[in-house]
Amino acid sequence: MSVDTVSLTGWGRTAPTTALRFRPRTYEEAAATVRGCGPRGSIARGLGRSHGDAAQNAGGSVLDMTALNRIRTIDAGTGLVVCDAGVSLHRLMEVLLPLGWFVPVTPATRHVTVGGAIGADIHGRNHHFSGSFSRHVQELKLLTAEGEIRTVRPGTDLFDATAGGLGLTGVILSATLRCHRVTSSWMSVDTERTVDLDDLLARLSAGDHRYRYSAAWIDLLARGRATGRSVLTRGEHVPRYALPARAQRTPLAFRPGQLPVAPALVPEGLLGRTSVALFNELHYRSAPRYRVGELQKLSAFFHPLDCLPHWNRIHGRGGSVRYQFVVGHGQEETLRRIVRRISRRRCPSFLAVLKRFGEGDPGWLSFPMPGWALALDLPAALPGLAGFLDSLDEEVAEAGGRVCLAKDSRLRPQMLAAMYPRLAEFRSLRAELDPNGAFRSDLSRRLSL
Protein backbone atom coordinates (compact mmCIF):
# COMPACT_ATOMS: atom_id res chain seq x y z
CA MET A 1 0.00 0.00 0.00
CA SER A 2 1.42 3.39 -0.98
CA VAL A 3 1.17 6.45 1.29
CA ASP A 4 1.81 10.12 0.56
CA THR A 5 0.83 13.59 1.74
CA VAL A 6 -1.27 15.53 -0.77
CA SER A 7 -3.29 18.70 -1.15
CA LEU A 8 -6.78 17.83 -2.39
CA THR A 9 -9.81 19.67 -3.71
CA GLY A 10 -13.10 18.66 -5.21
CA TRP A 11 -13.81 18.98 -8.93
CA GLY A 12 -14.62 22.65 -8.40
CA ARG A 13 -11.00 23.28 -7.34
CA THR A 14 -11.89 25.40 -4.30
CA ALA A 15 -10.80 25.15 -0.64
CA PRO A 16 -7.76 22.82 -0.91
CA THR A 17 -6.76 20.91 2.23
CA THR A 18 -3.91 18.56 3.01
CA ALA A 19 -4.28 14.94 4.07
CA LEU A 20 -2.35 11.69 4.28
CA ARG A 21 -3.42 9.60 1.30
CA PHE A 22 -3.46 5.81 1.48
CA ARG A 23 -3.95 3.60 -1.58
CA PRO A 24 -5.15 0.22 -0.29
CA ARG A 25 -4.89 -2.69 -2.72
CA THR A 26 -6.82 -5.19 -0.60
CA TYR A 27 -9.74 -5.11 1.80
CA GLU A 28 -7.31 -5.99 4.61
CA GLU A 29 -5.15 -2.95 3.86
CA ALA A 30 -8.25 -0.74 3.86
CA ALA A 31 -9.32 -2.15 7.24
CA ALA A 32 -5.86 -1.57 8.71
CA THR A 33 -5.92 2.03 7.52
CA VAL A 34 -9.32 2.68 9.11
CA ARG A 35 -8.26 1.12 12.43
CA GLY A 36 -5.17 3.31 12.57
CA CYS A 37 -6.63 6.50 11.15
CA GLY A 38 -5.91 8.75 14.16
CA PRO A 39 -7.95 11.55 15.77
CA ARG A 40 -8.81 13.34 12.51
CA GLY A 41 -10.39 10.23 11.04
CA SER A 42 -10.51 9.05 7.43
CA ILE A 43 -12.75 9.26 4.38
CA ALA A 44 -12.91 7.23 1.18
CA ARG A 45 -12.20 8.95 -2.13
CA GLY A 46 -12.70 7.79 -5.69
CA LEU A 47 -11.92 9.74 -8.86
CA GLY A 48 -12.40 13.18 -7.31
CA ARG A 49 -15.49 14.23 -9.28
CA SER A 50 -17.45 15.43 -6.24
CA HIS A 51 -17.59 19.19 -6.78
CA GLY A 52 -17.22 20.16 -3.14
CA ASP A 53 -15.35 18.91 -0.06
CA ALA A 54 -17.07 15.56 0.57
CA ALA A 55 -13.88 13.58 -0.21
CA GLN A 56 -11.37 15.82 1.60
CA ASN A 57 -10.16 15.44 5.17
CA ALA A 58 -7.89 18.23 6.42
CA GLY A 59 -5.17 16.89 8.71
CA GLY A 60 -6.54 13.35 8.58
CA SER A 61 -6.35 10.47 6.13
CA VAL A 62 -7.98 9.82 2.78
CA LEU A 63 -8.42 6.32 1.35
CA ASP A 64 -7.88 6.43 -2.41
CA MET A 65 -10.03 3.48 -3.50
CA THR A 66 -9.06 3.41 -7.16
CA ALA A 67 -6.67 0.46 -6.77
CA LEU A 68 -9.59 -1.69 -5.56
CA ASN A 69 -10.96 -1.99 -9.08
CA ARG A 70 -11.77 -5.61 -9.85
CA ILE A 71 -14.95 -6.67 -11.61
CA ARG A 72 -15.49 -9.93 -9.77
CA THR A 73 -18.45 -11.57 -11.53
CA ILE A 74 -20.89 -10.78 -14.33
CA ASP A 75 -24.05 -12.75 -14.99
CA ALA A 76 -24.56 -12.09 -18.69
CA GLY A 77 -28.07 -13.56 -18.51
CA THR A 78 -29.45 -11.39 -15.71
CA GLY A 79 -27.19 -8.33 -15.79
CA LEU A 80 -26.02 -8.77 -12.19
CA VAL A 81 -22.50 -7.45 -11.63
CA VAL A 82 -20.32 -7.80 -8.53
CA CYS A 83 -17.44 -5.35 -8.47
CA ASP A 84 -15.09 -3.49 -6.15
CA ALA A 85 -15.96 0.04 -5.12
CA GLY A 86 -13.03 1.51 -7.05
CA VAL A 87 -14.33 0.34 -10.44
CA SER A 88 -15.36 3.30 -12.58
CA LEU A 89 -18.56 3.59 -14.57
CA HIS A 90 -16.32 4.01 -17.62
CA ARG A 91 -14.77 0.59 -16.97
CA LEU A 92 -18.17 -0.98 -16.42
CA MET A 93 -19.34 0.38 -19.76
CA GLU A 94 -16.26 -1.03 -21.51
CA VAL A 95 -16.96 -4.49 -20.10
CA LEU A 96 -20.75 -4.57 -20.04
CA LEU A 97 -21.72 -3.05 -23.38
CA PRO A 98 -20.26 -5.88 -25.50
CA LEU A 99 -22.41 -8.23 -23.41
CA GLY A 100 -25.56 -6.18 -24.04
CA TRP A 101 -25.79 -4.37 -20.69
CA PHE A 102 -25.55 -0.73 -19.60
CA VAL A 103 -25.14 0.90 -16.20
CA PRO A 104 -28.54 1.60 -14.63
CA VAL A 105 -27.80 5.26 -13.87
CA THR A 106 -25.03 7.55 -15.06
CA PRO A 107 -24.41 11.22 -14.21
CA ALA A 108 -22.88 13.68 -16.66
CA THR A 109 -19.48 12.00 -16.32
CA ARG A 110 -18.59 8.32 -16.54
CA HIS A 111 -15.41 8.93 -14.51
CA VAL A 112 -17.09 8.09 -11.20
CA THR A 113 -16.41 5.04 -9.06
CA VAL A 114 -19.13 2.63 -7.98
CA GLY A 115 -18.40 3.45 -4.34
CA GLY A 116 -18.73 7.15 -5.06
CA ALA A 117 -21.93 6.56 -7.01
CA ILE A 118 -23.48 4.88 -3.96
CA GLY A 119 -22.04 7.28 -1.41
CA ALA A 120 -23.43 10.24 -3.36
CA ASP A 121 -26.49 8.28 -4.55
CA ILE A 122 -25.96 9.80 -7.96
CA HIS A 123 -28.81 10.52 -10.36
CA GLY A 124 -28.91 10.98 -14.11
CA ARG A 125 -31.20 11.94 -16.94
CA ASN A 126 -33.40 8.95 -16.17
CA HIS A 127 -34.36 9.69 -12.58
CA HIS A 128 -38.02 10.11 -13.50
CA PHE A 129 -37.85 6.61 -14.97
CA SER A 130 -35.26 4.66 -12.97
CA GLY A 131 -34.54 6.56 -9.77
CA SER A 132 -31.05 7.07 -8.42
CA PHE A 133 -28.07 4.70 -8.44
CA SER A 134 -28.66 3.03 -5.09
CA ARG A 135 -32.07 1.80 -6.19
CA HIS A 136 -30.20 -0.66 -8.41
CA VAL A 137 -27.83 -1.95 -5.72
CA GLN A 138 -28.75 -5.46 -4.56
CA GLU A 139 -26.20 -5.51 -1.74
CA LEU A 140 -22.91 -3.94 -0.70
CA LYS A 141 -19.94 -4.74 1.51
CA LEU A 142 -19.25 -2.01 4.08
CA LEU A 143 -16.11 -1.62 6.17
CA THR A 144 -17.16 -0.24 9.55
CA ALA A 145 -15.23 1.83 12.09
CA GLU A 146 -14.23 -1.32 14.01
CA GLY A 147 -12.65 -2.81 10.89
CA GLU A 148 -15.52 -5.27 10.41
CA ILE A 149 -16.86 -5.99 6.92
CA ARG A 150 -20.66 -6.12 6.90
CA THR A 151 -23.04 -7.17 4.14
CA VAL A 152 -25.70 -4.46 3.80
CA ARG A 153 -28.92 -4.84 1.83
CA PRO A 154 -31.75 -2.48 0.82
CA GLY A 155 -34.56 -2.07 3.31
CA THR A 156 -32.25 -1.69 6.32
CA ASP A 157 -31.39 1.48 8.20
CA LEU A 158 -27.71 1.01 7.49
CA PHE A 159 -28.32 0.80 3.74
CA ASP A 160 -30.53 3.90 3.80
CA ALA A 161 -27.90 5.82 5.77
CA THR A 162 -25.09 4.67 3.46
CA ALA A 163 -26.90 5.44 0.17
CA GLY A 164 -26.19 9.14 -0.15
CA GLY A 165 -24.33 9.10 3.17
CA LEU A 166 -21.14 10.53 1.62
CA GLY A 167 -18.86 7.86 3.07
CA LEU A 168 -19.68 8.70 6.69
CA THR A 169 -21.12 5.32 7.70
CA GLY A 170 -18.09 3.37 6.50
CA VAL A 171 -16.01 2.47 3.47
CA ILE A 172 -17.92 0.79 0.65
CA LEU A 173 -15.71 -2.07 -0.55
CA SER A 174 -17.88 -3.74 -3.19
CA ALA A 175 -21.40 -3.82 -4.57
CA THR A 176 -23.79 -6.04 -6.50
CA LEU A 177 -25.57 -4.05 -9.22
CA ARG A 178 -28.55 -4.72 -11.49
CA CYS A 179 -27.85 -3.36 -14.96
CA HIS A 180 -30.05 -2.38 -17.91
CA ARG A 181 -30.37 -4.55 -21.05
CA VAL A 182 -29.47 -2.86 -24.37
CA THR A 183 -28.85 -4.17 -27.89
CA SER A 184 -26.76 -1.28 -29.21
CA SER A 185 -24.50 1.53 -28.03
CA TRP A 186 -26.50 4.18 -29.89
CA MET A 187 -29.18 6.59 -28.76
CA SER A 188 -32.19 7.98 -30.61
CA VAL A 189 -32.41 11.63 -29.57
CA ASP A 190 -35.25 14.13 -29.90
CA THR A 191 -34.34 17.80 -29.54
CA GLU A 192 -36.58 20.85 -29.27
CA ARG A 193 -36.21 24.49 -28.33
CA THR A 194 -38.51 26.02 -25.74
CA VAL A 195 -39.31 29.71 -25.72
CA ASP A 196 -39.27 30.21 -21.94
CA LEU A 197 -39.35 28.37 -18.61
CA ASP A 198 -43.11 27.79 -18.60
CA ASP A 199 -42.89 26.23 -22.06
CA LEU A 200 -40.13 23.92 -20.81
CA LEU A 201 -42.02 22.82 -17.70
CA ALA A 202 -45.13 22.12 -19.76
CA ARG A 203 -43.24 19.95 -22.26
CA LEU A 204 -41.46 18.02 -19.53
CA SER A 205 -44.72 17.40 -17.65
CA ALA A 206 -46.59 16.31 -20.77
CA GLY A 207 -43.97 14.16 -22.48
CA ASP A 208 -41.35 12.82 -20.07
CA HIS A 209 -43.20 9.55 -19.52
CA ARG A 210 -42.44 8.62 -23.14
CA TYR A 211 -38.66 8.78 -22.67
CA ARG A 212 -36.17 6.98 -20.46
CA TYR A 213 -33.74 9.93 -20.54
CA SER A 214 -34.53 13.62 -20.43
CA ALA A 215 -32.75 16.89 -19.54
CA ALA A 216 -32.73 20.50 -20.66
CA TRP A 217 -29.92 23.00 -21.05
CA ILE A 218 -31.28 26.31 -19.80
CA ASP A 219 -30.12 29.82 -20.67
CA LEU A 220 -29.88 31.59 -17.31
CA LEU A 221 -28.79 34.86 -18.89
CA ALA A 222 -31.92 35.26 -21.01
CA ARG A 223 -34.34 37.90 -19.71
CA GLY A 224 -37.80 39.28 -20.32
CA ARG A 225 -40.09 37.04 -22.34
CA ALA A 226 -37.18 34.67 -23.02
CA THR A 227 -36.40 34.00 -19.34
CA GLY A 228 -35.62 30.32 -18.93
CA ARG A 229 -35.51 29.51 -22.63
CA SER A 230 -34.03 26.07 -23.11
CA VAL A 231 -32.90 23.28 -25.38
CA LEU A 232 -34.63 20.06 -24.35
CA THR A 233 -33.07 16.73 -25.32
CA ARG A 234 -34.65 13.36 -24.66
CA GLY A 235 -33.51 9.95 -25.72
CA GLU A 236 -33.92 6.19 -25.83
CA HIS A 237 -31.56 3.32 -26.51
CA VAL A 238 -31.76 2.26 -30.16
CA PRO A 239 -32.49 -1.44 -30.74
CA ARG A 240 -30.02 -3.16 -33.01
CA TYR A 241 -32.57 -3.81 -35.76
CA ALA A 242 -33.23 -0.06 -36.10
CA LEU A 243 -29.58 0.85 -36.75
CA PRO A 244 -28.25 1.70 -40.22
CA ALA A 245 -26.59 -1.25 -41.93
CA ARG A 246 -23.05 0.00 -41.25
CA ALA A 247 -23.69 0.42 -37.51
CA GLN A 248 -25.24 -3.05 -37.27
CA ARG A 249 -21.82 -4.60 -37.93
CA THR A 250 -20.58 -3.46 -34.49
CA PRO A 251 -23.77 -2.47 -32.67
CA LEU A 252 -22.29 -2.53 -29.16
CA ALA A 253 -18.98 -0.77 -29.86
CA PHE A 254 -17.90 1.75 -27.21
CA ARG A 255 -15.19 4.13 -28.40
CA PRO A 256 -15.55 7.52 -26.72
CA GLY A 257 -13.41 10.21 -28.32
CA GLN A 258 -11.07 12.58 -26.53
CA LEU A 259 -9.92 16.11 -27.28
CA PRO A 260 -6.63 17.69 -26.16
CA VAL A 261 -6.23 18.46 -22.46
CA ALA A 262 -7.66 21.81 -21.37
CA PRO A 263 -5.06 24.50 -20.64
CA ALA A 264 -3.78 24.59 -17.09
CA LEU A 265 -5.17 28.07 -16.57
CA VAL A 266 -7.95 29.97 -18.29
CA PRO A 267 -7.54 33.73 -17.72
CA GLU A 268 -9.95 35.17 -15.18
CA GLY A 269 -12.87 36.88 -16.87
CA LEU A 270 -12.67 34.88 -20.09
CA LEU A 271 -15.96 33.26 -19.10
CA GLY A 272 -17.57 36.46 -17.90
CA ARG A 273 -21.10 37.67 -18.56
CA THR A 274 -20.44 38.89 -22.10
CA SER A 275 -18.70 35.76 -23.37
CA VAL A 276 -21.16 33.39 -21.67
CA ALA A 277 -24.11 35.41 -23.01
CA LEU A 278 -22.64 35.06 -26.51
CA PHE A 279 -22.09 31.33 -26.05
CA ASN A 280 -25.65 30.88 -24.76
CA GLU A 281 -27.10 32.82 -27.68
CA LEU A 282 -25.17 30.75 -30.20
CA HIS A 283 -26.04 27.50 -28.47
CA TYR A 284 -29.73 28.30 -28.35
CA ARG A 285 -29.97 29.60 -31.92
CA SER A 286 -28.00 26.70 -33.38
CA ALA A 287 -30.23 24.07 -31.75
CA PRO A 288 -33.03 22.70 -33.94
CA ARG A 289 -36.52 23.95 -33.23
CA TYR A 290 -37.67 20.35 -33.41
CA ARG A 291 -35.73 17.29 -34.50
CA VAL A 292 -36.71 13.67 -33.98
CA GLY A 293 -34.67 10.47 -34.08
CA GLU A 294 -31.13 11.76 -34.39
CA LEU A 295 -28.61 8.95 -33.86
CA GLN A 296 -25.94 9.73 -31.26
CA LYS A 297 -23.26 7.63 -29.64
CA LEU A 298 -23.72 6.91 -25.94
CA SER A 299 -20.71 9.02 -25.00
CA ALA A 300 -21.97 12.03 -26.96
CA PHE A 301 -25.43 11.86 -25.42
CA PHE A 302 -24.49 11.20 -21.80
CA HIS A 303 -20.95 12.55 -21.35
CA PRO A 304 -20.06 15.25 -23.87
CA LEU A 305 -17.66 17.02 -21.49
CA ASP A 306 -15.70 13.83 -20.80
CA CYS A 307 -14.07 14.24 -24.20
CA LEU A 308 -12.22 17.27 -22.76
CA PRO A 309 -9.93 16.19 -19.90
CA HIS A 310 -9.72 18.62 -16.96
CA TRP A 311 -12.58 20.75 -18.24
CA ASN A 312 -12.96 21.99 -14.66
CA ARG A 313 -10.11 24.41 -15.42
CA ILE A 314 -12.34 26.56 -17.60
CA HIS A 315 -13.32 28.84 -14.72
CA GLY A 316 -9.72 29.86 -14.08
CA ARG A 317 -7.57 29.93 -10.99
CA GLY A 318 -10.44 30.55 -8.57
CA GLY A 319 -12.34 27.41 -9.53
CA SER A 320 -16.10 27.03 -9.66
CA VAL A 321 -19.09 26.46 -7.43
CA ARG A 322 -21.70 23.90 -8.45
CA TYR A 323 -25.13 24.84 -7.12
CA GLN A 324 -27.87 22.25 -7.48
CA PHE A 325 -31.25 22.31 -5.80
CA VAL A 326 -34.61 20.59 -6.13
CA VAL A 327 -38.09 21.84 -5.29
CA GLY A 328 -41.22 19.71 -5.36
CA HIS A 329 -44.13 19.62 -7.76
CA GLY A 330 -46.44 22.47 -6.83
CA GLN A 331 -43.45 24.75 -6.16
CA GLU A 332 -43.05 25.92 -9.75
CA GLU A 333 -43.37 29.55 -8.69
CA THR A 334 -40.32 29.15 -6.45
CA LEU A 335 -38.39 27.77 -9.42
CA ARG A 336 -39.55 30.65 -11.61
CA ARG A 337 -38.55 33.20 -8.98
CA ILE A 338 -35.08 31.70 -8.56
CA VAL A 339 -34.49 31.56 -12.33
CA ARG A 340 -35.57 35.21 -12.61
CA ARG A 341 -33.21 36.19 -9.78
CA ILE A 342 -30.26 34.39 -11.42
CA SER A 343 -31.13 36.03 -14.74
CA ARG A 344 -31.42 39.53 -13.26
CA ARG A 345 -28.09 39.12 -11.48
CA ARG A 346 -26.49 38.10 -14.79
CA CYS A 347 -24.82 35.01 -13.32
CA PRO A 348 -22.48 33.68 -16.06
CA SER A 349 -23.39 29.99 -16.15
CA PHE A 350 -23.20 28.18 -19.47
CA LEU A 351 -23.47 24.74 -17.78
CA ALA A 352 -27.03 24.92 -16.47
CA VAL A 353 -29.30 21.87 -16.59
CA LEU A 354 -32.89 21.35 -15.51
CA LYS A 355 -34.36 17.88 -14.91
CA ARG A 356 -37.68 16.51 -13.76
CA PHE A 357 -37.23 14.05 -10.90
CA GLY A 358 -39.48 11.10 -10.22
CA GLU A 359 -40.20 9.23 -7.01
CA GLY A 360 -37.74 9.93 -4.20
CA ASP A 361 -35.20 7.38 -3.04
CA PRO A 362 -34.90 5.86 0.45
CA GLY A 363 -31.46 7.23 1.33
CA TRP A 364 -31.73 9.51 4.35
CA LEU A 365 -29.39 12.07 2.79
CA SER A 366 -30.20 11.27 -0.85
CA PHE A 367 -30.78 14.40 -2.86
CA PRO A 368 -33.58 13.50 -5.33
CA MET A 369 -37.23 14.09 -4.51
CA PRO A 370 -40.21 14.39 -6.88
CA GLY A 371 -40.01 17.78 -8.57
CA TRP A 372 -37.69 20.07 -10.48
CA ALA A 373 -33.90 20.04 -10.15
CA LEU A 374 -31.69 22.85 -11.46
CA ALA A 375 -27.88 22.65 -11.53
CA LEU A 376 -25.52 25.44 -12.52
CA ASP A 377 -21.78 26.14 -12.42
CA LEU A 378 -20.56 29.60 -11.42
CA PRO A 379 -17.07 31.10 -11.08
CA ALA A 380 -16.12 30.94 -7.41
CA ALA A 381 -14.62 34.43 -7.65
CA LEU A 382 -17.92 36.02 -8.71
CA PRO A 383 -18.43 39.07 -6.43
CA GLY A 384 -21.16 38.58 -3.86
CA LEU A 385 -21.69 34.94 -4.79
CA ALA A 386 -21.73 33.56 -1.23
CA GLY A 387 -24.47 35.89 -0.02
CA PHE A 388 -26.52 35.38 -3.14
CA LEU A 389 -26.43 31.59 -2.88
CA ASP A 390 -27.23 31.81 0.84
CA SER A 391 -30.40 33.68 -0.06
CA LEU A 392 -31.30 31.04 -2.65
CA ASP A 393 -30.82 28.36 0.01
CA GLU A 394 -33.45 30.09 2.14
CA GLU A 395 -35.95 30.13 -0.71
CA VAL A 396 -35.31 26.47 -1.48
CA ALA A 397 -35.67 25.41 2.16
CA GLU A 398 -38.84 27.46 2.63
CA ALA A 399 -40.35 25.67 -0.37
CA GLY A 400 -39.52 22.26 1.14
CA GLY A 401 -36.63 21.67 -1.26
CA ARG A 402 -32.98 20.84 -0.73
CA VAL A 403 -29.46 21.42 -1.99
CA CYS A 404 -27.35 18.51 -3.27
CA LEU A 405 -24.72 17.73 -0.61
CA ALA A 406 -22.50 15.69 -2.96
CA LYS A 407 -21.94 18.84 -5.02
CA ASP A 408 -21.94 21.35 -2.18
CA SER A 409 -18.98 23.41 -0.99
CA ARG A 410 -20.61 26.24 0.96
CA LEU A 411 -24.01 25.40 2.52
CA ARG A 412 -24.53 26.75 6.06
CA PRO A 413 -25.14 24.02 8.68
CA GLN A 414 -28.29 25.69 10.05
CA MET A 415 -30.04 25.08 6.72
CA LEU A 416 -29.50 21.34 6.75
CA ALA A 417 -32.32 20.10 9.01
CA ALA A 418 -34.99 21.92 7.02
CA MET A 419 -33.74 20.37 3.79
CA TYR A 420 -33.17 16.82 5.03
CA PRO A 421 -35.93 15.76 7.45
CA ARG A 422 -34.19 12.47 8.35
CA LEU A 423 -30.98 14.22 9.38
CA ALA A 424 -31.49 13.43 13.08
CA GLU A 425 -31.83 9.72 12.32
CA PHE A 426 -28.64 9.83 10.24
CA ARG A 427 -26.71 11.53 13.02
CA SER A 428 -28.04 9.11 15.61
CA LEU A 429 -27.12 6.01 13.60
CA ARG A 430 -23.72 7.42 12.78
CA ALA A 431 -23.01 8.13 16.46
CA GLU A 432 -23.96 4.54 17.28
CA LEU A 433 -21.84 3.04 14.49
CA ASP A 434 -18.84 5.32 14.85
CA PRO A 435 -18.71 6.89 18.33
CA ASN A 436 -15.03 7.85 18.02
CA GLY A 437 -15.34 9.52 14.61
CA ALA A 438 -13.29 7.19 12.45
CA PHE A 439 -15.05 8.56 9.35
CA ARG A 440 -14.80 12.30 8.88
CA SER A 441 -14.49 14.75 6.04
CA ASP A 442 -14.23 18.48 5.51
CA LEU A 443 -17.92 18.42 4.59
CA SER A 444 -18.93 16.49 7.71
CA ARG A 445 -17.14 18.99 9.94
CA ARG A 446 -18.53 21.99 8.07
CA LEU A 447 -22.11 20.72 8.31
CA SER A 448 -21.80 18.93 11.68
CA LEU A 449 -22.88 15.64 10.16
Side-chain angles (χ1 to χ4, degrees), residues 47 86-96 102-107 109-114 117 122 133 177 254 303:
L47 290 167
V87 173
S88 70
L89 299 192
H90 173 84
R91 180 59 181 154
L92 283 180
M93 292 176 197
E94 286 184 320
V95 173
L96 290 174
F102 188 60
V103 294
V105 171
T106 177
T109 175
R110 61 186 179 273
H111 299 300
V112 176
T113 63
V114 168
I122 60 170
F133 194 87
L177 311 175
F254 180 63
H303 315 118

Side-chain angles (χ1 to χ4, degrees), residues 240-262:
R240 178 176 180 172
Y241 68 80
L243 290 175
R246 183 175 180 181
Q248 286 193 28
R249 298 171 192 163
T250 55
L252 292 164
F254 180 63
R255 304 186 190 97
Q258 187 162 301
L259 296 173
V261 173

Side-chain angles (χ1 to χ4, degrees), residues 279-343:
F279 170 87
N280 286 2
E281 182 70 24
L282 291 173
H283 183 62
Y284 181 78
R285 296 294 176 188
S286 62
R289 292 183 182 274
Y290 187 75
R291 180 173 60 199
V292 176
E294 179 192 12
L295 283 182
Q296 290 186 12
K297 293 182 179 180
L298 281 170
S299 55
F301 180 74
F302 289 108
H303 315 118
L305 286 175
D306 278 350
C307 70
L308 181 64
H310 306 301
W311 64 262
N312 58 333
R313 297 173 179 173
I314 59 178
H315 286 288
R317 189 186 305 276
S320 64
V321 172
R322 167 63 63 92
Y323 187 71
Q324 184 170 27
F325 69 91
V326 58
V327 292
H329 297 300
Q331 292 294 333
E332 288 77 12
E333 187 50 43
T334 300
L335 177 64
R336 293 185 189 99
R337 187 165 57 247
I338 290 175
V339 168
R340 287 195 298 266
R341 288 188 61 190
I342 295 171
S343 173

Side-chain angles (χ1 to χ4, degrees), residues 54 114 125 132 152 171 174 186 190 223 243 261 272 276 301 387 439:
V114 168
R125 294 182 176 207
S132 60
V152 185
V171 178
S174 69
W186 291 85
D190 295 353
R223 292 184 288 183
L243 290 175
V261 173
V276 172
F301 180 74
F439 301 115

